[in-house]
Amino acid sequence: MTRRNVYRPLLFIIALLAASFILLVWLRPSGTVPSLGPEVQKKAAQEPVTPQSVEKPSAEVLSERIAEYHIDVKLDESNHTLFGEQTVTWNNPGQKTVNEIFFNLYPNAFQSPDSTFMKESGGVLREDRMPKDGYGGMTLQELTTVDGHSLMNRIEYVQPDDGNAKDQTVMKIRLPQPVKSQENITLKLKFEVKLPKIFARMGYADDFVMAGQWYPKIAAYEKAGVRGRAAEGWNVHQYHGSSEFYSNYGIFNVRIQVPESYIVAATGFPTKTPYIAGGYKNYQFYADDVHDFAWSASPNFVYYEEPFSAPNVPGVRIKLYLDPKHKLLKERYMYAAKTALAKFSHWYGKYPYSTLSIVVPPKSGNGAGGMEYPTLVTAFGAENDSPGYDLERTVVHEIGHQYFYGLIASNEFEEAWLDEGFTSYAEDKLMESEFGVVPNLAITSSYITDPAPLKLAAWRYKHQNHYSDNVYYRAKLVLLAIEKQVGERTMQRIMKTYTQKYRFRHPTTADFQRIVEQVTDRKWTDFFNQYVYGGQMADFAVESIDARTIEKDGAIRYEATVHIRKLGADYPNVPIVFRFTDGSTTRKVWDGDGDRMQYRLTHTAPLDWVMVDPLYTIVVENKHINNYMKAQIEEPARTRANLTVIKFIEAFTNILGW
C-alpha cells in the first residue's frame, strides 16, 4: 500500500510514479561500505514480508526537511557494539551564514558516572536502575567532508547547559567553509557505539537491542520566528536526566545489518525485502518528514502485521514485535493500536505515515519500554501473561506521542509539558471513552505537593518525580481545568485547531495560549500566568463557621455565618454546599473574586456542615483537606470534623503516586 493513500487526478499518476521511481533509485544504498559484506541476496528469513511491506517514498512533502541521513549500521552481538557509517546533508534554512555545526552524541550520556545525565539521574530512570558495569558510549572514528578532508581537529565538546566538562553529548564543529543561506553541507562520519546495558531508553539486555538516539544527530536549528525566536540560531542541549529530545524534520535512509536470526523493527518502512549475506540479515528502511530514527532487534520477537484504515487513517500497516511472554496478547495490542490511531487521528488530524510499529521488550529490557519514536513505540516489558489495563494504557499513551511529539515536535528540553501533558490528557480521554477507565482526578491532584511552572527547562525541576508530577500530571490537570471552564465541545475545537495549525511547526506555550484565546474569544492571561507560567494551584478553604440561635415571633431559627477563603490561584465559579441537620441542602456558587467570601444562612434547622467543591470539579485544587468543615463539634476537638479520616485518605492516595 502506498505511504499516503491520497487520491489524485489521473493526470498526475504518471508523474508521481516517475518521481517515486527516481527517488527510490537515488536512495538505493551505494554498497561502498566494505565492512558490511557483499550484496549477495538470499531468501529472507525469520520475518515474513508481504508485498505491501515493501514500499516506495512518496513525493508529498509535509515538513521543512532540514537534514538528510544515509546510514549503514552493523550490530556485533558478541560485544554489543554498533559499527556505523553516515553521510548527512544539512540544509541551512535561515538567512544567516553558518560557520559551525552541532551534533548530539547521545550515547555518551552512558559513558561514565560523570556525564550530566548520570549525575542528574543518579543512574535511575523511572523504576529502572543502571546495571553494574553497564556503561557504554560513542567513539567518533572519522569525520570528513565529501572530498575526504578530515575535520577531526575541528571538534570541540561543549556543555551549553551546565558547563560539565566531562559531558560529551554535544559536539561542535568549526566548518572549513561557511554555509550560506539556503545552501547545504554534506559530512561523512564513521562511528562506533558500545551499547550500555538497558536502563534508560537504549542499550541491550541479553540478546534484545534497543537503538534509540544511537547515531550522530544534528542539533536543531531554528529560523527567526520559530518558537518565538527574535534571531535565528542553534537550539542545543545536553542529554539530561529528566529531559527527552528536540530536532528538525528530515529524511532517513538506513541500512541495518544484524545476525541472520534477528528480526528488526524500525522507524519508517522497508524499501526492499530483507536478505541474508555473509551470515547477516540486511534491512533497508526509509522515512521522511520525521525528526528521529530508532530501531530494535531480537531473535525472539514474535511478529504480526495487520493493515488498518479509518477516517483520517488512509492506510497503515500495524506491526507487532512481541516478547514471547506476550504472544497470546496480540489482539489486545492490535485493538489498542487501532483504537488509538482512529480516535487520535479524528481528534488531532490525519496520521500521515504508512506504518506503526509496536515493540514489546522482554522483562530484562524494561528500561527501553514506554518510549516513543517516529512511527515506532515501545510498550513496557513483558512481566506476566495477564496484565491489566496498563497494557492498553501504555500503547495508547505512546501512540498519542505520535501526534504531540511526532507531528508537532515541541521542544521537549524547554517545554516538555506541550508533549507529555497533552499526551497524558489525550490518553485519559481515550481510556475513558473506549475502555471505561475513568481517571480519579482527586487522587491525581493529590500528587502535586510541590507545584512548579510548566514552561520550565526539564533539567530545572528538582528531581525526576518533581518533573513527572508537574509535566505529566499537573499539565494534564491544567488542560482539564480549561475544558471544565469552556466545555468539552469547545475544548475539542481548541485541541484540533492547535494540532492542525502547528503540524510540523514546533509550537510554543504562547502559541497554544493564542489558540485558546482565539477559539474562546477571550483573554486567558491570568489563568496562564498562574497555572502555566507560574507554579500555582487552586486552594479554597472553609475558614470558619459562626452559628447562633435566634428567636423571632416565637419561632426558633438558626443562623450561621460561613467564611470561605481563597488560599491559592484564581478559579471561577466555585461550588459550595451547605448541609443542615434536617437533611436539606443549599447550594451556592462563588465567582472567585477577591480573597474571601462570607455567607449568612438562616434555616429552621442548624447547619450541619459546609463543603467547597464536593464533586471535585476544580481539578487544579490539590489540598482538599480544608474544603470541609463541621458546624458543631464536641469539645475539646475544636477543629475540622473527620480530620483523621481525611488525613488517612490523603496519605493513602499519596502512597499510590510515584
Side-chain angles (χ1 to χ4, degrees):
M1 187 174 293
T2 57
R3 183 176 171 278
R4 297 180 187 88
N5 189 16
V6 179
Y7 296 102
R8 291 179 170 86
L10 183 61
L11 292 176
F12 292 102
I13 291 178
I14 297 175
L16 285 177
L17 289 174
S20 298
F21 176 78
I22 292 169
L23 185 58
L24 184 59
V25 171
W26 174 62
L27 290 171
R28 185 178 59 194
S30 63
T32 59
V33 185
S35 64
L36 296 181
E39 301 240 353
V40 180
Q41 185 164 336
K42 294 183 179 180
K43 182 178 179 182
Q46 299 296 320
E47 180 177 6
V49 180
T50 64
Q52 292 91 341
S53 297
V54 179
E55 304 180 43
K56 296 180 180 180
S58 168
E60 184 179 4
V61 177
L62 301 176
S63 68
E64 188 174 22
R65 299 172 178 178
I66 292 177
E68 180 178 328
Y69 294 86
H70 295 264
I71 310 175
D72 285 291
V73 61
K74 180 178 182 180
L75 168 65
D76 183 342
E77 81 283 12
S78 64
N79 59 10
H80 310 293
T81 301
L82 304 179
F83 297 96
E85 297 192 12
Q86 171 175 306
T87 299
V88 58
T89 299
W90 180 76
N91 302 286
N92 182 353
Q95 299 299 314
K96 294 183 178 180
T97 297
V98 172
N99 296 298
E100 57 191 21
I101 193 169
F102 292 83
F103 279 82
N104 287 113
L105 308 185
Y106 287 128
N108 287 339
F110 310 102
Q111 199 172 42
S112 78
D114 298 318
S115 74
T116 292
F117 177 87
M118 294 299 296
K119 291 175 70 174
E120 291 179 353
S121 69
V124 178
L125 187 66
R126 294 185 294 222
E127 297 177 359
D128 298 296
R129 186 173 295 276
M130 176 74 174
K132 185 179 180 181
D133 301 323
Y135 293 103
M138 175 180 284
T139 301
L140 190 63
Q141 297 168 323
E142 293 180 13
L143 171 63
T144 68
T145 60
V146 287
D147 59 4
H149 179 66
S150 176
L151 303 181
M152 294 293 286
N153 63 334
R154 292 173 172 265
I155 291 175
E156 178 186 1
Y157 291 103
V158 295
Q159 303 80 27
D161 300 327
D162 65 0
N164 175 14
K166 295 185 178 180
D167 186 84
Q168 295 186 345
T169 58
V170 177
M171 176 178 71
K172 181 173 75 172
I173 304 166
R174 293 177 292 106
L175 297 175
Q177 297 291 333
V179 183
K180 297 179 181 180
S181 172
Q182 308 306 312
E183 294 185 349
N184 62 59
I185 184 171
T186 299
L187 300 175
K188 293 188 174 183
L189 303 92
K190 187 174 181 180
F191 61 95
E192 179 180 315
V193 177
K194 176 67 175 176
L195 292 169
K197 292 182 180 179
I198 289 178
F199 89 100
R201 303 187 182 101
M202 77 163 293
Y204 74 93
D206 302 319
D207 51 9
F208 169 79
V209 170
M210 185 68 228
Q213 309 298 335
W214 57 279
Y215 58 95
K217 184 177 181 181
I218 295 179
Y221 191 88
E222 296 176 327
K223 297 185 295 184
V226 173
R227 300 186 56 256
R229 285 190 75 124
E232 67 182 72
W234 294 99
N235 187 286
V236 188
H237 295 293
Q238 299 157 242
Y239 196 161
H240 289 279
S242 290
S243 71
E244 294 184 14
F245 312 102
Y246 173 55
S247 305
N248 297 127
Y249 286 97
I251 295 172
F252 290 85
N253 182 42
V254 182
R255 183 168 64 153
I256 303 169
Q257 280 200 332
V258 292
E260 61 181 274
S261 63
Y262 276 61
I263 296 172
V264 171
T267 292
F269 55 85
T271 56
K272 60 172 61 177
T273 301
Y275 63 90
I276 294 174
Y280 280 82
K281 187 186 292 186
N282 292 257
Y283 288 82
Q284 186 86 32
F285 290 93
Y286 174 86
D288 54 30
D289 300 314
V290 297
H291 48 74
D292 198 5
F293 187 100
W295 58 278
S296 181
S298 170
N300 303 313
F301 281 145
V302 180
Y303 178 78
Y304 299 98
E305 178 180 317
E306 287 187 16
F308 176 68
S309 295
N312 293 307
V313 187
V316 175
R317 301 200 70 81
I318 301 175
K319 303 179 180 184
L320 299 183
Y321 300 82
L322 302 180
D323 180 81
K325 198 172 187 67
H326 276 195
K327 67 180 180 180
L328 298 180
L329 301 174
K330 175 189 74 169
E331 296 303 326
R332 288 182 62 181
Y333 282 103
M334 278 291 183
Y335 182 78
K338 292 174 182 178
T339 300
L341 279 175
K343 282 288 187 180
F344 291 152
S345 293
H346 174 64
W347 292 343
Y348 310 126
K350 185 180 78 170
Y351 182 78
Y353 306 114
S354 62
T355 60
L356 175 66
S357 297
I358 301 169
V359 173
V360 180
K363 181 179 179 180
S364 60
N366 194 48
M371 188 58 190
E372 70 280 357
Y373 305 93
T375 79
L376 183 149
V377 302
T378 62
F380 276 114
E383 296 193 22
N384 61 72
D385 56 7
S386 183
Y389 275 120
D390 282 349
L391 183 154
E392 285 82 4
R393 181 177 290 279
T394 301
V395 173
V396 165
H397 181 90
E398 302 310 331
I399 293 177
H401 277 302
Q402 296 299 308
Y403 298 82
F404 298 104
Y405 151 85
L407 299 182
I408 289 180
S410 304
N411 188 326
E412 293 183 284
F413 289 106
E414 299 176 10
E415 297 178 277
W417 85 285
L418 290 176
D419 176 41
E420 296 295 357
F422 281 58
T423 300
S424 297
Y425 169 88
E427 166 204 329
D428 274 2
K429 288 290 181 185
L430 192 143
M431 290 302 296
E432 182 173 359
S433 65
E434 294 299 319
F435 298 97
V437 180
V438 181
N440 191 321
L441 300 178
I443 289 179
T444 302
S445 66
S446 73
Y447 296 163
I448 316 302
T449 57
D450 188 8
L454 298 180
K455 193 179 182 303
L456 190 65
W459 64 94
R460 300 299 182 194
Y461 291 96
K462 297 176 182 178
H463 45 72
Q464 287 180 9
N465 283 354
H466 192 225
Y467 169 83
S468 61
D469 288 349
N470 283 279
V471 167
Y472 288 75
Y473 298 128
R474 199 171 85 82
K476 172 180 68 176
L477 294 174
V478 166
L479 293 174
L480 284 168
I482 297 174
E483 179 185 304
K484 293 288 185 182
Q485 295 177 61
V486 304
E488 190 169 2
R489 178 171 291 184
T490 299
M491 189 63 179
Q492 289 173 351
R493 287 177 52 215
I494 288 171
M495 296 294 282
K496 193 158 192 175
T497 302
Y498 171 71
T499 52
Q500 289 187 339
K501 179 172 182 177
Y502 291 106
R503 199 172 173 90
F504 298 102
R505 291 181 58 189
H506 313 291
T508 64
T509 299
D511 293 323
F512 177 66
Q513 181 179 345
R514 279 191 289 270
I515 293 297
V516 174
E517 293 178 342
Q518 172 189 325
V519 173
T520 61
D521 195 27
R522 66 183 177 91
K523 288 292 185 182
W524 285 76
T525 304
D526 291 342
F527 180 90
F528 273 76
N529 284 344
Q530 292 177 83
Y531 291 102
V532 177
Y533 301 111
Q536 297 188 57
M537 295 287 280
D539 183 10
F540 294 96
V542 183
E543 188 173 40
S544 63
I545 300 174
D546 299 320
R548 68 191 185 101
T549 304
I550 59 175
E551 182 177 353
K552 185 175 182 181
D553 300 329
I556 300 297
R557 306 280 289 179
Y558 299 91
E559 183 180 270
T561 303
V562 180
H563 299 272
I564 309 295
R565 187 175 179 186
K566 178 170 61 182
L567 301 173
D570 294 336
Y571 199 88
N573 303 325
V574 180
I576 307 167
V577 172
F578 305 85
R579 173 84 171 190
F580 299 92
T581 57
D582 63 359
S584 62
T585 59
T586 296
R587 302 176 186 275
K588 303 283 186 181
V589 176
W590 177 26
D591 62 12
D593 286 344
D595 294 330
R596 285 180 169 83
M597 186 65 183
Q598 176 181 298
Y599 294 95
R600 181 168 294 170
L601 302 97
T602 302
H603 195 67
T604 55
L607 183 66
D608 189 8
W609 52 260
V610 179
M611 187 169 186
V612 176
D613 192 26
L615 299 179
Y616 300 105
T617 57
I618 305 175
V619 294
V620 284
E621 180 163 15
N622 61 332
K623 297 179 181 178
H624 299 110
I625 192 171
N626 55 13
N627 285 31
Y628 175 89
M629 182 176 282
K630 192 85 169 166
Q632 298 292 334
I633 51 179
E634 297 294 329
E635 294 289 354
R638 300 294 299 175
T639 185
R640 304 177 194 280
N642 296 333
L643 179 60
T644 303
V645 175
I646 295 174
K647 279 187 174 291
F648 171 77
I649 292 173
E650 292 214 341
F652 176 72
T653 58
N654 281 326
I655 289 172
L656 297 179
W658 62 277

